Amino acid sequence: MQAIEFSTIPHSGVLQIPEAHRKEWEGLPVRVILLPDKQAPSDNKSKTLLERLRTVEKIYSHPDLAENHDAYVNGQDNGSNRFDI
């Protein structure tokens, strides 16, 4: 196995490994060196909202989150204590 290089943007402290390399590196200890990418634009404002939304991974949530949003935010029991995805 050899080293790979890729560019990514950390979100909430998480770095995403490109899909093409995920299985190959899954579960292996790795060494991470962070370097600012001088070639990439450092300002997200240059990208449109749609371009930035395309970088967001799929978000998993309760199937009834839209209906019972207040209960989840306030920690109230809404009768559904299961989290099945």
Side-chain angles (χ1 to χ4, degrees), residues 2-83:
Q2 57 185 329
I4 62 170
E5 180 179 331
F6 59 90
S7 296
T8 188
I9 299 173
H11 294 282
S12 301
V14 176
L15 298 172
Q16 294 291 328
I17 297 174
E19 189 70 39
H21 300 288
R22 287 185 188 175
K23 288 182 181 178
E24 176 184 0
W25 291 89
E26 184 67 30
L28 296 176
V30 297
R31 179 179 304 174
V32 178
I33 300 172
L34 299 175
L35 299 170
D37 191 347
K38 301 289 184 193
Q39 297 173 348
S42 60
D43 185 31
N44 273 344
K45 293 178 185 172
S46 63
K47 292 183 179 181
T48 67
L49 177 59
L50 184 57
E51 289 171 330
R52 290 189 293 172
L53 283 173
R54 287 186 178 126
T55 65
V56 176
E57 294 288 321
K58 184 174 181 179
I59 299 172
Y60 296 98
S61 66
H62 251 285
D64 65 342
L65 180 62
E67 299 165 6
N68 297 308
H69 175 265
D70 291 340
Y72 289 109
V73 170
N74 297 319
Q76 300 166 351
D77 183 10
N78 63 355
S80 173
N81 293 327
R82 296 181 49 192
F83 189 78

